[in-house]
Amino acid sequence: MERYQYLRALISQLLEESPLTSEEVIADVRHLMNVGEEELAFDMMCSWIYEDSLAITSVYYERLAAAAQELGTPKSTERLDELVEG
């Protein structure tokens, strides 16, 4: 249970700091977390960041990449490095 809470907190923090602005997407990500689908929620969040071509910082990208490894979903962050500012 402790790992579950850790993963939820990790994704929640990344979601709060994400460049996503669509309330619908944010609500969908939160819904997936609420039903225990953390990996899917994280993947959806990353997919929308990429699909909407939202700029991210290198620090945020590194945090996403680390979370992807932690969740066992390394493909979630593929190509997000293209969106890093600078």
Side-chain angles (χ1 to χ4, degrees), residues 8 11-12 15 20-48:
R8 277 194 70 166
I11 297 166
S12 292
L15 180 62
L20 293 171
T21 57
S22 167
E23 290 300 321
E24 186 177 327
V25 170
I26 293 167
D28 286 348
V29 171
R30 287 190 176 130
H31 171 73
L32 287 169
M33 284 192 303
N34 287 336
V35 297
E37 295 288 347
E38 287 75 24
E39 293 87 355
L40 190 55
F42 179 76
D43 189 61
M44 175 186 273
M45 179 178 69
C46 292
S47 292
W48 276 106

Side-chain angles (χ1 to χ4, degrees), residues 26-82:
I26 293 167
D28 286 348
V29 171
R30 287 190 176 130
H31 171 73
L32 287 169
M33 284 192 303
N34 287 336
V35 297
E37 295 288 347
E38 287 75 24
E39 293 87 355
L40 190 55
F42 179 76
D43 189 61
M44 175 186 273
M45 179 178 69
C46 292
S47 292
W48 276 106
I49 291 170
Y50 184 77
E51 288 298 318
D52 289 349
S53 299
L54 301 171
I56 56 176
T57 66
S58 59
V59 171
Y60 186 72
Y61 170 73
E62 292 301 325
R63 290 177 57 215
L64 287 174
Q69 292 301 319
E70 187 95 30
L71 288 159
T73 62
K75 291 187 180 225
S76 294
T77 55
E78 279 184 355
R79 301 182 72 185
L80 286 181
D81 59 329
E82 298 170 13

